Amino acid sequence: STLEQYRLPEYEAELRARGVQKTSDLASLSVEDVDKIVPAPKSIHKKKMTELLNAAHTFVAAETLRLDPNSEFQRETKFRAGILNLLTKQASMADAAGVIAVTKLKGDVNEVFDSLDTNRNGILEGREV
């Protein structure tokens, strides 16, 4: 197991009690959880466990992105905020409102269309938009 590879098998029971069944489940833990699991005098163990935790977070994020390439667009980022600023800085109020409205849409084209098509007739009408 990963814990044996990292020479941390003594924490397996505690991790299982916290719902960790496989390595990727470590992503459900926080650094504070590691502090509770690993005693203070064992700083090398704490460092190894934190490395495992960070690797699990990275793995889960990469897997999420692989399964849903648009998942990163579901949350605000500084990059998107910068683009939004560029698009609205010189725009009229109406244009800026339109740009801001579009940025609030979440999901792929089908999900957005379905959320707007309230009468489910397959056509977006003026009152739906």
Side-chain angles (χ1 to χ4, degrees):
S1 84
T2 303
L3 292 175
E4 289 169 351
Q5 289 173 338
Y6 272 75
R7 296 190 174 114
L8 299 169
E10 66 262 35
Y11 305 110
E12 187 167 355
E14 177 69 25
L15 291 169
R16 294 222 185 278
R18 292 175 182 266
V20 175
Q21 299 301 315
K22 55 188 187 292
T23 305
S24 62
D25 292 341
L26 285 168
S28 67
L29 300 178
S30 66
V31 175
E32 291 78 23
D33 291 325
V34 171
D35 290 340
K36 293 174 187 170
I37 295 168
V38 181
K42 300 210 174 191
S43 62
I44 190 73
H45 288 188
K46 194 170 296 230
K47 182 180 180 200
K48 288 180 179 181
M49 187 73 75
T50 302
E51 287 174 6
L52 280 174
L53 180 78
N54 291 335
H57 282 281
T58 301
F59 171 80
V60 169
E63 189 65 10
T64 300
L65 191 56
R66 185 186 71 77
L67 295 174
D68 181 7
N70 295 318
S71 65
E72 286 296 306
F73 291 104
Q74 300 295 327
R75 56 177 202 223
E76 296 292 326
T77 64
K78 289 181 181 179
F79 174 77
R80 288 183 67 210
I83 295 295
L84 181 60
N85 185 39
L86 285 173
L87 291 172
T88 58
K89 186 189 290 186
Q90 302 285 326
S92 69
M93 283 293 254
D95 289 342
V99 169
I100 291 169
V102 168
T103 65
K104 298 300 178 190
L105 299 174
K106 294 198 182 343
D108 67 21
V109 68
N110 295 320
E111 292 169 335
V112 172
F113 183 89
D114 290 344
S115 72
L116 295 173
D117 185 23
T118 56
N119 65 7
R120 304 287 182 241
N121 67 353
I123 299 169
L124 290 182
E125 299 166 6
R127 69 183 189 292
E128 292 174 316
V129 180

